[in-house]
Amino acid sequence: MPYQNRRSTYSSFILIFVFIKIGLNLLAISHFGFHRDEFLHLVLADHLDWGYKEVPPFIALLAKISLTVFGNSVFAARIFPTICSGLIIWFTGQITVELGGKKFAVALACLAMIFSPGFAASGYLFQPVVFDQLWWVMAVWALTKYSNTSSIKYLYFLGLIVGFGLLTKYSMAFFTFALIFGIAISKQRKMLLNRHVIGAALVALVVFLPNLLWQVHHHLPVITHMKTLQKEQLDYINPSDFIKQELMVMGIALFVWLTGFIFLLFSFRLHKFQFLAIAFVLIFTFLLVMNGKSYYLFGAYPMLFAAGAFGFERWLKTSGYVLRGLVIALFTIPNLLLFPIVLPILPLNQTLAFFRFADKNLFSLKAATTWEDHKAHQTTQDYADMLGWDEMTAKVDSAWKMLTPEQQKHTQIYADNYGEAGAIHLLGKQYNLPDVISLNSSFTLWAPDNLDGQYIIYVDDQGGGNVNSFKSALESYRKVGEVENPLAREKGTAIFILVHPGPALNERYTKELAWKRLQ
């Protein structure tokens, strides 16, 4: 049967699952507050450039559009991630159809994705993660379309996708190379013997070039960022942990994507898509060796869910609706028990009550509530990163109001980390606070050349431990508050008023600023 006739009108059917995904996100996105990382990415909207120390520029442009069109509420910030999550489901359904799946396969692939804990947790925050996943799944969609149609337009679509993917997260480069090597190793290597592949590569390069030039001009800060990430976070991850997390993070849907991986490798019906399984092995191995975080691999799973759903459809092709419905229920409903842990569908107090109930009666929450410090806490790290920011900013405002109008004219605000600085920048607008200074993360790029205020409102993320290291450079200082929310990751962060800092403090600041600007 010709390709164009084989394709059914499943697009309307896929939209059902897109709306389910969007609906679940809309139910959750207003609970809790901004996440620490969201503050950083929203701040970038006020400093548009072709690059930043930890991310390429795409997230900054989205932040600018989001703040301009939707406003600066938590709900507004998460509109684009929610739309993007819906698009991921859309393209997962489309890939399922390209692999030969029909309605049952589409339903299983999409629902398994929607209710997978990993995708629920990563699909609602304003971070590059969800947009990165979208580019990965779109890249696979373009390749499957090209494999089925040989239409060169999909190669050029792929070039655009890779280019914008690189402007979103540099991990797109690793996935792209995995796909290329996967094709080269497979029997589909002839796909590379096409001059339009070079054209598509040039399209990707042109799109990515401004950020590449920015990186070179700024001494390749991405390398420094990766080294810092490796030292502060990734070194805590060992290969066995990574493997364990990948097997657990999708919950019961593990059996769907694992089936898909096997089908892509060995099924005759999917032989021309075997390169996708090879690419998965390559990117999995790379992240295993590099001590990558589990979510780095999430963008590669939709193709496996699509193939797994196709596999189950083949096995159950003579079965009735009841058995097929039971299979879908088996691979989705158990994951609903994990939903309040990974997606804030319940208000805070109800979420904590669920945590207590689940820990006593359903399953241990030790793995979910163990943070990067390898210690168990009362809630998950992501939830803790969404708490305490309003309290901290209000106490910074209280410190500001302790100063006279004349003193305020000569006052600077300084925060130790990007979460604190981002919160003061965004939430401080309601108090008309001056902009905040920080030498953490991309804040270094627009920090002033000198820390020369006669008064400094200092946010110390060590609760006073940092101010003790330079107190000799101050005429005096006093603590005026601290974050008291017991659930917040920022609990204990202290706010100080520093009075008449001497030249030694500014010298320390300028040296650190100069050093960080060279990285």
Side-chain angles (χ1 to χ4, degrees), residues 95-96 99 108-109 112 253-267 269-271 273-278 280-281 300-313 315 331:
I95 292 170
T96 306
L99 297 183
L108 178 57
L254 159 73
F255 297 103
V256 179
W257 72 256
L258 204 55
T259 298
F261 175 69
I262 294 170
F263 256 73
L264 284 172
L265 271 182
F266 302 113
S267 171
R269 289 184 175 273
L270 297 181
H271 71 280
F273 303 110
Q274 188 183 56
F275 65 89
L276 296 176
I278 298 173
F280 180 80
V281 171
Y301 283 111
M303 62 188 186
L304 302 187
F305 277 107
F310 170 81
F312 276 100
E313 188 171 65
W315 287 336
F331 294 126

Side-chain angles (χ1 to χ4, degrees), residues 32 36 44 58 70 79 89 101 106 131 139 150 182 246 256 273 297 337 346 361 367 380 388 401 409 431 467 485:
F32 301 9
R36 172 191 306 275
L44 300 182
F58 185 76
F70 304 125
I79 290 175
I89 299 302
V106 167
F131 306 109
S150 297
E246 294 304 326
V256 179
F273 303 110
L297 190 60
L337 294 174
L346 303 174
N361 302 288
T380 66
K401 290 175 178 174
K409 293 178 183 178
Y431 301 108
V467 77
N485 189 325

Side-chain angles (χ1 to χ4, degrees), residues 57 122 136 149 162 250 254 378 403 464 501 507:
S122 63
W136 283 38
T149 66
V162 171
M250 299 302 169
L254 159 73
Q378 295 182 66
L403 302 170
E507 183 179 346

Side-chain angles (χ1 to χ4, degrees), residues 31-36 39 78 348 352 371 379-392 423 483 485-491:
H31 294 150
F32 301 9
F34 286 103
H35 188 279
R36 172 191 306 275
F39 283 124
R78 295 173 180 171
L348 178 59
L352 294 175
W371 297 358
T379 185
T380 66
Q381 182 169 308
D382 270 338
Y383 286 175
D385 270 330
M386 292 185 240
L387 303 171
W389 302 113
D390 291 300
E391 176 192 355
M392 184 203 71
V483 177
N485 189 325
L487 299 173
R489 196 173 171 203
E490 287 288 321
K491 181 182 183 300

Side-chain angles (χ1 to χ4, degrees), residues 210-247:
N211 178 247
L212 181 61
L213 294 175
W214 184 95
Q215 281 284 339
V216 172
H217 180 70
H218 287 80
H219 313 287
L220 297 174
V222 64
I223 296 176
T224 301
H225 175 66
M226 289 302 299
K227 288 180 179 178
T228 302
L229 189 65
Q230 191 75 37
K231 179 181 178 181
E232 295 181 357
Q233 297 183 28
L234 302 186
D235 281 347
Y236 288 100
I237 303 172
N238 60 56
S240 62
D241 286 339
F242 179 78
I243 294 172
K244 194 183 304 179
Q245 289 167 4
E246 294 304 326
L247 292 175

Side-chain angles (χ1 to χ4, degrees), residues 501-513:
L505 183 61
N506 186 53
E507 183 179 346
R508 170 176 170 158
Y509 170 85
T510 54
K511 284 183 178 178
E512 184 177 354
L513 176 61

Side-chain angles (χ1 to χ4, degrees), residues 21 85 88 112-125 129-130 133 245-246 248-254 257 294-299 301 305 335 338-339 341-343 382:
K21 176 61 178 177
S85 293
I88 290 171
M113 282 274 295
I114 289 169
F115 294 109
S116 292
F119 282 101
S122 63
Y124 70 98
L125 296 176
V129 175
V130 65
Q133 292 171 8
Q245 289 167 4
E246 294 304 326
M248 295 173 58
V249 76
M250 299 302 169
I252 193 69
L254 159 73
W257 72 256
S294 61
Y295 70 82
Y296 290 0
L297 190 60
F298 283 8
Y301 283 111
F305 277 107
N335 279 340
L338 301 173
F339 248 47
I341 302 171
V342 295
L343 184 69
D382 270 338

Side-chain angles (χ1 to χ4, degrees), residues 476-502:
S476 65
Y477 67 97
R478 68 183 188 274
K479 181 178 177 180
V480 295
E482 68 174 51
V483 177
E484 298 175 359
N485 189 325
L487 299 173
R489 196 173 171 203
E490 287 288 321
K491 181 182 183 300
T493 291
I495 295 93
F496 291 86
I497 295 179
L498 313 182
V499 179
H500 296 155

